[in-house]
Amino acid sequence: MRVHAYAAPAAGQPLAPTTIERRDVGPDDVLIAIEYAGICHSDIHTVNGDWGPQPFPVVPGHEIVGTVTEVGADVTRHRVGDRVGVGCMVNSCGECVNCRRGDEQYCVAGMVGTYAATDRDGTTTQGGYSTHVVVDADFVLSIPEGLDPAAAAPLLCAGITTYAPLRRWNAGPGTRVAVVGLGGLGHLAVRIAHALGAEVTVLSQSLKKQEDGLRLGADHYHATSDPDTFTALTGSFDLILNTVSASIDVNAHLGLLAVDGTLVNVGAPPEPLAVQAMSLIGGRRSLAGSMIGGIALTQEMLDFCAEHGIGSEIEVIAADQVNDAYERVLASDVRYRFVIDTSTLG
């Protein structure tokens, strides 16, 4: 079926209206009428070519919420009329050790991204800046009734990207968690860590978002542009979650960890991060990374967010505002996530 979409025609070029072909609904597929699609910094990195050559034209978008309009003959998990979501992946081999344990995002054969990826049938995936999408039912999430659908869209990437490491490194009562950056990822990290029961500190370049940070659940807020911050907070945290997609002084931030603490990167700057071995050796500290979560964990995250009233703080836009939204994201001029109302796609 032909559907309306917004696509980047080439690297660094503005997105423009287009139509794309969606595959027929197979026995294991779900057809979703998309209602909302979040704008992730990854979308911008991809269409700008920051992460290498892409199969242009590319329709971005991996924070998708919509309604099921058709299901394949073998689908039992979802029904027509269900509100559902699709995150950063739409397929995996399903057979490797990682897939079998629920870590489809680390599929040995390579998980299939929601856009700009080669699917198992050899076609190129296209994302959520569109009116409809066909997805294997195993990669479709249920959106709990308690979540606002527009505010739930960013949870499919930003939510699980922050929830996964917080759960993996046992954030909870008695733990001290710092969140670097209060943006699209960071504001959800603060809300989720607070709901998990951790003592939460925001580390931001300035104090301009301090009021927001405290409102979202942070117990403390510090400016990293102040050198005294790194002296005063030495050894203060069990876990630091770095959510920014730009370079930071990794060694300075490692010094904020207690013995056996871990700094986890979930932001993905295009340039390498410099690490001195003594920054790790000196406190038996760890430097780690984390990428989204498996389907089961993503559903757990959605249910957790519904239980605790957690959604993204959003600005809903029409599709023809997407290029302006990209510029504003790069200028940090959004609190805290843009979401496209896909009914404006025509």
Side-chain angles (χ1 to χ4, degrees), residues 11 88 127 156 179 345:
C88 300
L156 277 306
V179 176
L345 282 164

Side-chain angles (χ1 to χ4, degrees), residues 4-143:
H4 294 286
Y6 252 65
Q13 295 298 307
L15 278 71
T18 189
T19 59
I20 58 172
E21 187 73 26
R22 293 298 192 188
R23 71 173 183 261
D24 294 335
V25 177
D28 299 311
D29 287 335
V30 172
L31 173 63
I32 302 168
I34 300 173
E35 298 169 318
Y36 298 101
I39 292 177
C40 176
H41 209 136
S42 298
D43 302 347
I44 301 173
H45 282 307
T46 300
V47 302
N48 282 346
D50 294 338
W51 292 343
Q54 303 296 330
F56 291 103
V58 169
V59 177
H62 55 208
E63 299 177 344
I64 301 168
V65 170
T67 301
V68 176
T69 59
E70 184 180 347
V71 297
D74 295 338
V75 175
T76 58
R77 292 177 55 193
H78 307 287
R79 299 179 180 179
V80 172
D82 287 352
R83 178 161 279 137
V84 295
V86 178
C88 300
M89 56 183 169
V90 293
N91 218 329
S92 71
C93 78
E95 299 174 354
C96 71
V97 61
N98 294 337
C99 286
R100 290 198 306 270
R101 73 181 180 207
D103 282 331
E104 299 94 341
Q105 75 276 27
Y106 302 126
C107 176
V108 173
M111 66 99 168
V112 177
T114 305
Y115 62 84
T118 302
D119 210 341
R120 299 299 176 208
D121 61 2
T123 61
T124 299
T125 58
Q126 301 288 1
Y129 298 9
S130 56
T131 57
H132 296 77
V133 66
V134 178
V135 181
D136 185 295
D138 287 342
F139 290 82
V140 176
L141 289 306
S142 297
I143 302 298

Side-chain angles (χ1 to χ4, degrees), residues 52 89 125 130 150 167 211 219 224 242 265 282 284 295 298 303 319:
M89 56 183 169
T125 58
S130 56
R167 292 281 284 110
E211 184 177 341
D219 299 286
T224 55
N242 177 24
N265 283 288
R284 203 163 60 204
I295 294 300
T298 304
D303 295 340

Side-chain angles (χ1 to χ4, degrees), residues 189-266:
V190 169
R191 297 197 71 181
I192 292 169
H194 174 74
L196 287 168
E199 180 181 346
V200 185
T201 298
V202 174
L203 301 174
S204 185
Q205 285 186 313
S206 72
L207 299 179
K208 67 180 181 179
K209 296 180 182 178
Q210 182 174 19
E211 184 177 341
D212 277 4
L214 298 177
R215 174 178 57 81
L216 290 164
D219 299 286
H220 316 284
Y221 200 107
H222 296 275
T224 55
S225 57
D226 181 354
D228 291 340
T229 292
F230 290 93
T231 302
L233 298 180
T234 297
S236 293
F237 305 111
D238 305 299
L239 176 66
I240 299 176
L241 197 60
N242 177 24
T243 72
V244 302
S245 292
S247 292
I248 66 166
D249 186 337
V250 176
N251 299 294
H253 285 78
L254 285 168
L256 302 180
L257 289 169
V259 171
D260 291 328
T262 303
L263 168 60
V264 182
N265 283 288
V266 295

Side-chain angles (χ1 to χ4, degrees), residues 60 71 87 119 135 149 186 188 205 220 269 279 285 308 315 337 344:
V71 297
D119 210 341
V135 181
L188 285 172
Q205 285 186 313
H220 316 284
S279 297
R285 303 180 182 102
H308 293 274
E315 182 176 334
R337 205 71 160 186
T344 61

